Amino acid sequence: MDPAAARFAQDVVSGAAPANCARAKALLFAASRLAAFGVEIGVAPVPEVLLHPSVIERFVLACGTDMAPATVRTLRSNLRYLATAVLGGPVPVALPRERSKLPYTAA
């Protein structure tokens, strides 16, 4: 891995201050993948550029063929979390949950 990409991933994850080791590991995985992608396409490995929503979406589309769909969704969620934690911005509003509807009766 490119040294600048590794430094980016470490700096971004430490800036997000994850609560535990497992969360830090997951964020580091996502950030390192994004940084490697950025270096590959010629984008500077700086948070303001790589954590921009359009770059994250481009990364998700590009890596979507190489990874399982669940992995891609997790990467996207973790990268959006990093972007909010490091760069700031509005936090999404929690939406209320609803119970599922009862199944149809025989009538």
Side-chain angles (χ1 to χ4, degrees), residues 34 46-58 79 83 87:
L34 178 66
V46 294
E48 295 79 16
V49 176
L50 282 181
L51 293 175
H52 191 274
S54 62
V55 177
I56 292 172
E57 292 304 314
R58 181 175 175 187
L79 291 172
L87 301 177

Side-chain angles (χ1 to χ4, degrees), residues 72-95:
V72 174
R73 288 190 299 271
T74 302
L75 282 173
R76 180 193 222 176
S77 296
N78 286 338
L79 291 172
R80 287 179 172 181
Y81 170 81
L82 279 174
T84 302
V86 173
L87 301 177
V91 178
V93 175
L95 298 175

Side-chain angles (χ1 to χ4, degrees), residues 1-67:
M1 175 182 278
D2 184 77
R7 190 170 36 259
F8 164 82
Q10 292 170 349
D11 292 345
V12 167
V13 171
S14 65
N20 57 46
C21 186
R23 182 69 170 144
K25 184 178 176 182
L27 294 176
L28 193 58
F29 175 78
S32 64
R33 291 290 181 129
L34 178 66
F37 170 76
V39 168
E40 182 180 316
I41 64 170
V43 175
V46 294
E48 295 79 16
V49 176
L50 282 181
L51 293 175
H52 191 274
S54 62
V55 177
I56 292 172
E57 292 304 314
R58 181 175 175 187
F59 166 69
V60 167
L61 290 174
C63 76
T65 59
D66 298 338
M67 296 180 209

